[in-house]
Amino acid sequence: MVKICCIGAGYVGGPTMAVIALKCPSVEVAVVDISVPRINAWNSDQLPIYEPGLDDVVKQCRGKNLFFSTDVEKHVREADIVFVSVNTPTKTRGLGAGKAADLTYWESAARMIADVSVSDKIVVEKSTVPVKTAEAIEKILTHNSKGIKFQILSNPEFLAEGTAIEDLFQPDRVLIGGRETPEGFAAVKALKDIYSQWVPEERILTTNLWSAELSKLAANAFLAQRISSVNAMSALCEATGANVSEVSYAVGKDSRIGPKFLNSSVGFGGSCFQKDILNLVYICECNGLPEVAEYWKQVIKINDYQKTRFVNRIVSSMFNTVSNKKIAVLGFAFKKDTGDTRETPAIDVCKGLLGDKACLSIYDPQVTEDQIQRDLTMNKFDWDHPLHLQPMSPTTVKQVSVSWDAYAAAKDAHGICILTEWDEFKQLDYEKIFENMQKPAFVFDGRNVVDAEKLRKIGFIVYSIGKPLDQWLKDMPALA
């Protein structure tokens, strides 16, 4: 029986290993982590992450050929294939601070693998890592190998949160990069044999190590660039009276471009896009490519600009001050169908409003009050360190309350900000909400989910990103 061990029980490791266990009943899969609360959650009825379909997959396999454990060394020692899915946060100090990936956790994982191994192993990079990380890992393993042979593979994940299980069941592609040596080819084949139990052969791509490592960064950079492109257009649409939805629909009808990732919004979030682009920028700078670095930097700049623009629009519309005004924030997760708040635009929008002394009432169907308070008090990039290294009990923000539903959040509010495209926000009784709000009542739709004309008929002043502006908004222009 092939034994697989995955170091890291987070958003990537947990779902990926659960699906491998389901699709490969003859393979034994262990997911290990040093966080006791996280492993306890994986072994309970309340999993540590929310992902549609995940619950069912875990319950089918757990205790049969899928195990969650804190005994890291035992499972690494016994494994034939070790996936490493540890945090790779952005460095906050030292060389490359603010851009480079911090490989501390990767290095300690590699040293531990070398330390405890008593048989040859295939080590698979699963977390997103800078190009040439495999080379560094190889050096650590070979210099500490005691005669044991290791093969390093790159197998980046391309999951979208909210559809991760579906993405794992029917991936666009599985990418495996390895050394172009007989041993490297054999390792690639061993991993390919696992995936080919449910993924069609033509969707399993094999490349050299560096192509696989760079493909992950490139894919995320291209996706983020599309979002920043349409968001840049949204600002121009507002200035000219064009409608960004009509523009993006027309552009997306071009088969060379396609319609995906062309929805204008308050900005992109999630654990990957910003981090991977900053990483790409740093790699370009290190390789003497400042012009290329500058190009990718602009993608981040437009994303930050979009969030700032949104906050400025709110403040300027409400007589240039939100001081002591109640603002209802609907949605805090970075996208619908996930409870993940990493790099969510809601953090920067809320902090911008709090900076102007607003009182926020926040509602999200999947994000806890504790998580919201943590996000609003943590420093940038703190979220990407393991839980036990994050601030334990951050101070709460007094101007922030968390509501149990959208109606409670909006009661007596001066304005509503929609920051996540949860389906339920389309179906709310806005007449009821309007009656219970201060007047004039504002809706700032950061996801273009509501019917702006219907809301205007009720009496709301509505701002939808990239759409023609209300006369009110034209009379009170947002300052950059």
Side-chain angles (χ1 to χ4, degrees):
M1 177 184 264
V2 174
K3 288 192 174 184
I4 289 177
C5 173
C6 177
I7 303 171
Y11 276 88
V12 174
T16 305
M17 294 303 119
V19 170
I20 288 177
L22 180 71
K23 297 292 189 181
C24 308
S26 63
V27 174
E28 185 181 295
V29 181
V31 184
V32 297
D33 201 294
I34 55 174
S35 168
V36 175
R38 177 170 279 183
I39 291 297
N40 287 346
W42 279 110
N43 283 317
S44 74
D45 286 335
Q46 193 65 48
L47 301 184
I49 61 175
Y50 170 74
E51 192 64 46
L54 176 62
D55 222 36
D56 188 44
V57 173
V58 170
K59 283 173 182 166
Q60 283 186 65
C61 306
R62 194 170 56 194
K64 294 175 187 167
N65 69 326
L66 174 65
F67 305 93
F68 296 94
S69 170
T70 52
D71 194 343
V72 179
E73 294 187 1
K74 170 185 180 287
H75 289 287
V76 169
R77 189 180 303 113
E78 293 173 357
D80 305 297
I81 302 174
V82 179
F83 285 82
V84 184
S85 187
V86 297
N87 303 60
T88 52
T90 303
K91 286 182 77 171
T92 51
R93 54 178 66 88
L95 186 65
K99 285 180 287 204
D102 182 346
L103 296 178
T104 305
Y105 308 119
W106 242 107
E107 184 175 335
S108 61
R111 289 183 184 280
M112 183 269 295
I113 293 167
D115 220 28
V116 305
S117 293
V118 291
S119 58
D120 294 354
K121 297 206 184 317
I122 296 169
V123 178
V124 184
E125 294 177 338
K126 199 66 189 161
S127 25
T128 305
V129 291
V131 184
K132 297 287 185 178
T133 297
E135 200 162 59
I137 304 308
E138 262 179 350
K139 284 174 179 163
I140 291 166
L141 290 171
T142 50
H143 282 276
N144 294 278
S145 68
K146 301 169 291 204
I148 291 161
K149 291 189 172 63
F150 296 99
Q151 278 300 316
I152 317 296
L153 300 180
S154 173
N155 175 217
E157 56 83 20
F158 296 102
L159 307 179
E161 286 186 47
T163 59
I165 298 301
E166 194 52 42
D167 294 344
L168 286 161
F169 280 178
Q170 296 181 304
D172 288 342
R173 78 293 205 193
V174 170
L175 182 57
I176 305 171
R179 283 285 192 193
E180 293 171 292
T181 62
E183 298 81 6
F185 291 133
V188 167
K189 184 183 181 303
L191 186 54
K192 191 175 175 181
D193 288 345
I194 300 286
Y195 284 111
S196 62
Q197 292 186 47
W198 80 95
V199 180
E201 180 94 12
E202 66 274 10
R203 291 196 183 180
I204 304 176
L205 316 180
T206 57
T207 66
N208 73 30
L209 268 172
W210 324 129
S211 296
E213 287 181 335
L214 187 54
S215 293
K216 168 64 178 175
L217 296 183
N220 278 343
F222 276 50
L223 291 173
Q225 183 236 35
R226 280 175 74 95
I227 296 171
S228 280
S229 293
V230 77
N231 280 342
M233 284 297 161
S234 75
L236 186 57
C237 285
E238 287 170 31
T240 59
N243 183 325
V244 75
S245 298
E246 293 171 354
V247 171
S248 64
Y249 181 75
V251 168
K253 277 295 181 187
D254 187 324
S255 60
R256 296 166 301 176
I257 297 170
K260 291 185 177 176
F261 275 71
L262 286 181
N263 291 326
S264 183
S265 70
V266 68
F268 59 72
S271 61
C272 291
F273 283 0
Q274 177 159 302
K275 185 172 81 169
D276 288 358
I277 294 170
L278 290 171
N279 201 336
L280 196 58
V281 166
Y282 183 66
I283 293 165
C284 291
E285 288 172 348
C286 290
N287 282 282
L289 301 168
E291 293 84 0
V292 182
E294 205 51 49
Y295 174 81
W296 290 111
K297 250 188 232 176
Q298 200 59 37
V299 173
I300 300 281
K301 282 183 185 168
I302 288 289
N303 196 51
D304 290 338
Y305 163 74
Q306 189 77 339
K307 291 179 280 190
T308 304
R309 201 168 75 78
F310 190 75
V311 172
N312 289 350
R313 180 66 76 185
I314 293 167
V315 176
S316 67
S317 303
M318 298 172 79
F319 313 104
N320 244 3
T321 177
V322 290
S323 181
N324 295 319
K325 290 177 182 172
K326 180 179 176 182
I327 311 269
V329 174
L330 302 188
F332 198 82
F334 85 92
K335 64 188 275 195
K336 72 173 184 175
D337 293 334
T338 177
D340 194 355
T341 61
R342 293 176 292 177
E343 291 294 341
T344 175
I347 294 172
D348 288 332
V349 171
C350 288
K351 283 183 174 179
L353 293 170
L354 289 168
D356 215 294
K357 298 193 168 67
C359 299
L360 304 183
S361 182
I362 301 172
Y363 164 68
D364 188 289
Q366 284 297 334
V367 184
T368 64
E369 178 165 10
D370 180 58
Q371 186 61 52
I372 289 169
Q373 289 286 3
R374 287 176 73 82
D375 286 331
L376 292 177
T377 50
M378 275 200 291
N379 293 324
K380 202 165 179 58
F381 305 127
D382 274 357
W383 57 265
D384 206 10
H385 291 271
L387 275 174
H388 68 287
L389 293 176
Q390 291 178 14
M392 283 310 288
S393 50
T395 52
T396 56
V397 182
K398 292 187 179 64
Q399 294 153 270
V400 172
S401 63
V402 177
S403 298
W404 60 91
D405 69 12
Y407 299 102
K411 191 175 184 337
D412 294 323
H414 292 259
I416 295 170
C417 293
I418 302 173
L419 300 182
T420 312
E421 71 281 21
W422 287 102
D423 291 338
E424 69 179 81
F425 299 154
K426 296 174 189 173
Q427 274 105 44
L428 293 172
D429 182 346
Y430 282 98
E431 288 189 7
K432 176 180 164 185
I433 287 172
F434 181 76
E435 283 167 23
N436 291 315
M437 283 178 68
Q438 304 279 346
K439 308 298 183 298
F442 297 86
V443 171
F444 302 97
D445 186 357
R447 297 287 180 170
N448 285 336
V449 297
V450 299
D451 184 331
E453 282 314 310
K454 266 191 192 167
L455 265 57
R456 286 181 185 122
K457 280 177 186 153
I458 293 169
F460 285 104
I461 293 155
V462 183
Y463 167 65
S464 297
I465 280 193
K467 303 290 181 74
L469 298 176
D470 271 9
Q471 189 57 47
W472 180 289
L473 301 169
K474 288 179 186 168
D475 292 342
M476 298 197 175
L479 301 171

